[in-house]
Amino acid sequence: MPRRVTNAPRRAFWNLNGEPPQGQSERFRENENVGTAIAPNATGRAGRQSALGSRADGPWPIGLPRPATALVGRDQDVAAAVALLDREGVRLLTLTGPGGIGKTRLALRVAAELAAVSTTEVRFVALDALDDPALVAGTVARAFAVRDTGERPIPDVVAAAIGDRSLLLVLDNTEHLPGVGALAALLTDRCPGLRILATGRVPLRLPGERVVRVPPLPLPDLGALPDPEALAANPTVALFRLRARAVNPTFALTADNAAAVAHLCVRLDGVPLAIELAAARCGMLAPAALLARLDGRLGLLTGGPRDAPPRQRALRDTVAWSYRLLAPEVQTLFRRLAVFGSGFTAEAAEAIAGEGGTGGREDGQTDGVLPVSIGIAALLDHGLLDEAAGFGTEPARRRYRMPETIRAYALERLKATGEEAERRRCHADWGVAFAERCEPELVGPDQQAWLDCLEGSRDNLRAAFSWLIANGEAESALRLAGALWRFWAVRGPLTEGQGWLERALALADARGVVSPDARAKVLHHLGNTAFDLGDFPRARAHYASGLAIRRWQQDRRGVASALNGLGLVALMTGALDEARRRHEESLALRRSLSDRPGEALALSNLGDVADAAGDHATAAALHARALAIREAAGDIGHVASSTHNLGAAAFGRGDDADARRRYARALALFEIVGDRAGIAHAKHGLARVAARAGRPRTAAAREREALALRWAAGDRLGVAECLEGLAALAGTPERATVAARLFGAAAALRRALGAPLPPARRKAHDGAVLRARRATDMARFRAA
């Protein structure tokens, strides 16, 4: 198994089944200019009972981000959107409206409801943190666990992954990325069961698009206010009360404060985010005092577009008002946190903002000292930060994010104080340090948790890299790109990681002054990406360039790694003698360094060479020695790899019982760490055992499972192996043409990759081809 162990995330999707909702589609009114609008609900009373219930902690589909708080006042809007998406022919629905109106929250609820009342799968893709349209397709691809192999455009790969499944794709925050429309058009054209629910401040403007304007929440009638109990049924008041209770559990709507609350809601024009920000002050101010201060502040604030629509001014002014009420030290932290394009931890915030900070106040004075944890707590209390969900097995730590609209204001203030350049540099430095901290943890028993940590900071790392490239920071760009190779190899898209490495190397070449170590590391990882993409000539060239630098440096560890890469290429291209020499030299260097993990890797690779040559006894002995080292280290992923290799050796010598046992154990271990490539290898091995045991149905099922994984991962050589296995199983007289077609496809792949069959497998392969050829006439066989 000549592969580096890399682990891909496991994604689970869970749907509820139920009856379609009784629609309130009359709330969607046709509009000759925009298309459709949601009509306000005067009372806020639900038109139907939600399939998920109204509680924020009710059932929720796995894989769909769950809002921290319940959606208020949108039951009929949700029902109408679900009904519209259920109509035949409605393939693209876009929710539009200004920032803070609740488009994302509404889209999440609609997606959850659709999953609850049908068998529709749901995928959610947040685009707000992207600033490069070229990254859109790769970001969408991750939602389907597909990898960019470089063979086909990513949109084509995504379309193939979706196929004809019944699926709802939510594209959130599209307005700043012009490439979204083209991708949406391609996917809906090729995938008949796909529906897209988009959110943005403007429509995508595609044929067949239905556009829905998300309105403000219905306002109370100030001229005829009911008693407090009846007033609480109004959605804006209900939202205010709910958020106020979050900061002040004793808050209640009474005869003394009901009018003030109603006036506040009207003053804020029913914009949900503005109402939430105002309600967050109820821990310190009564509604009447809040209203008085709010009225005074909104008249004095400057800097916003005075000709903007009233509700947009209300939101911006409310954010500005909330900012001005912060202590100066918290204002400083608020501004600086705006450099995070996506979620962040308290540790990351400290790297950007420091323990308090000096300078940067808008009045030019010096800030006091403020622990970041206290500042974050204050921003949470004021509604200027949200707690964000973690990723997969990421260690239990709190993550935070700044809502898009609030972050836009924070960036305004950061630029106004002249701090942006300094904070962007701090952010880039943090990205390099964070990536290098995670790098050594991406192998071993905790690799999934560390991969998830990087996943949560993907957009931040992209922003850091872009800043380094734009500012000519070649050394740091090389360090960042080099540290993240394994992350890109596992989580993808691999060609994006390859692009990072190539851009960093090009900048280094232009600058001419970078450390040889950073350059050699990037060259080696470019070899790794080319190897994983099946471009063996390019992989060999990059490995050789890196080896030359390592020899010049007299870096024995680096030389050993480069030799390992060259040995892998030699093995995959059939040069077994060269592969053996490379790995033996690498083994000697590893032992001289007392590098036990490296020694195990070299032993394992030598075992693969022996297995390919048909010396299965030697292969078993080498793999057993590697396994002992890896078991002592507790490295589950590599233990799985060695166990699999022992299964291959057992299969080669004809011991099917031992092979089945070892393949099964390897499969279980690969599943523990989520190594999709390893899972595919183990299933392919089990398929071979089942085929030789005369169980073709079991063999075909395992082979198809392995093929699906390898196709999704872009493992072209693995695809060829699976096609060969399926072809051998199809070699009956009635299926001889199918077998010939599969053998031909596999042979074409191997020719394109320059990866011939290992000598030990040629006899069995040629026998299977001969059986298929004898089962039909030669002309038909050749045509197939």
Side-chain angles (χ1 to χ4, degrees), residues 145-168:
V146 299
R147 295 264 299 279
D148 172 18
T149 67
E151 279 284 287
R152 296 185 295 167
I154 303 180
D156 293 346
V157 179
V158 174
I162 296 172
D164 58 0
R165 285 183 290 171
S166 175
L167 189 140
L168 176 69

Side-chain angles (χ1 to χ4, degrees), residues 23 119 213 286 296 560 584:
T119 58
R213 294 192 304 268
E584 285 175 346

Side-chain angles (χ1 to χ4, degrees), residues 93-326:
L93 176 63
T94 302
L95 306 179
T96 66
I101 205 67
K103 300 182 295 293
T104 298
R105 187 73 62 86
L106 179 58
L108 286 171
R109 189 67 180 197
V110 169
E113 290 282 351
L114 197 63
V117 300
S118 70
T119 58
T120 298
E121 297 180 51
V122 178
R123 302 290 190 277
F124 179 89
V125 181
L127 301 173
D128 54 316
L130 295 186
D131 56 9
D132 183 354
L135 299 177
V136 172
T139 302
V140 174
R142 289 206 316 278
F144 297 94
V146 299
R147 295 264 299 279
D148 172 18
T149 67
E151 279 284 287
R152 296 185 295 167
I154 303 180
D156 293 346
V157 179
V158 174
I162 296 172
D164 58 0
R165 285 183 290 171
S166 175
L167 189 140
L168 176 69
L169 174 61
V170 183
L171 299 176
D172 188 43
N173 285 298
T174 63
E175 65 273 357
H176 62 299
L177 297 165
V180 176
L183 178 63
L186 182 146
L187 294 179
T188 52
D189 180 60
R190 297 191 185 177
C191 307
L194 175 69
R195 286 164 289 178
I196 294 178
L197 176 61
T199 74
R201 300 190 185 191
V202 295
L204 294 176
R205 307 190 191 285
L206 295 176
E209 177 183 22
R210 297 294 292 272
V211 179
V212 169
R213 294 192 304 268
V214 180
L217 292 174
L219 299 173
D221 182 357
L222 297 182
L225 288 178
D227 61 78
E229 183 178 355
L231 181 62
N234 177 269
T236 50
V237 175
L239 177 61
F240 184 94
R241 184 175 66 167
L242 182 65
R243 301 299 185 258
R245 283 179 174 173
V247 296
N248 179 9
T250 64
F251 179 84
L253 199 63
T254 67
D256 294 330
N257 64 20
V261 170
H263 278 81
L264 275 168
C265 293
V266 172
R267 185 71 180 85
L268 297 174
D269 205 34
V271 177
L273 181 56
I275 292 168
E276 292 181 352
L277 290 173
R281 304 295 303 178
C282 283
M284 294 170 285
L285 297 172
L290 188 60
L291 178 62
R293 297 192 181 198
L294 186 63
D295 278 335
R297 285 291 181 186
L298 291 186
L300 296 174
L301 291 175
T302 59
R306 306 322 300 172
D307 58 346
R311 67 178 60 105
Q312 293 187 27
R313 292 204 309 269
L315 174 59
R316 186 191 182 282
D317 289 347
T318 305
V319 177
W321 170 75
S322 297
Y323 170 74
R324 290 174 181 268
L325 292 175
L326 298 172

Side-chain angles (χ1 to χ4, degrees), residues 351-406:
I352 302 303
E355 288 292 327
T358 57
R361 269 180 51 172
E362 296 194 46
D363 59 8
Q365 301 300 308
T366 300
D367 294 338
V369 176
L370 176 77
V372 166
S373 59
I374 294 177
I376 288 176
L379 292 172
L380 287 168
D381 287 344
H382 288 250
L384 297 170
L385 280 184
D386 291 335
E387 287 203 42
F391 288 79
T393 58
E394 183 181 23
R397 63 181 72 185
R398 290 190 173 183
R399 297 183 62 82
Y400 310 94
R401 72 180 302 275
M402 194 175 285
E404 176 197 6
T405 304
I406 293 174

Side-chain angles (χ1 to χ4, degrees), residues 382-457:
H382 288 250
L384 297 170
L385 280 184
D386 291 335
E387 287 203 42
F391 288 79
T393 58
E394 183 181 23
R397 63 181 72 185
R398 290 190 173 183
R399 297 183 62 82
Y400 310 94
R401 72 180 302 275
M402 194 175 285
E404 176 197 6
T405 304
I406 293 174
R407 179 172 176 258
Y409 180 81
L411 282 172
E412 275 186 34
R413 304 318 318 150
L414 188 69
K415 292 176 182 178
T417 56
E419 299 175 86
E420 185 179 21
E422 179 186 359
R423 291 305 119 190
R424 293 289 186 189
R425 173 173 290 280
C426 288
H427 183 260
D429 291 344
W430 162 81
V432 175
F434 177 63
E436 291 180 335
R437 167 71 183 90
C438 294
E439 183 183 15
E441 307 294 342
L442 299 186
V443 294
D446 298 325
Q447 53 197 277
Q448 279 297 98
W450 288 95
L451 285 164
D452 285 334
C453 284
L454 288 170
E455 186 69 61
S457 296

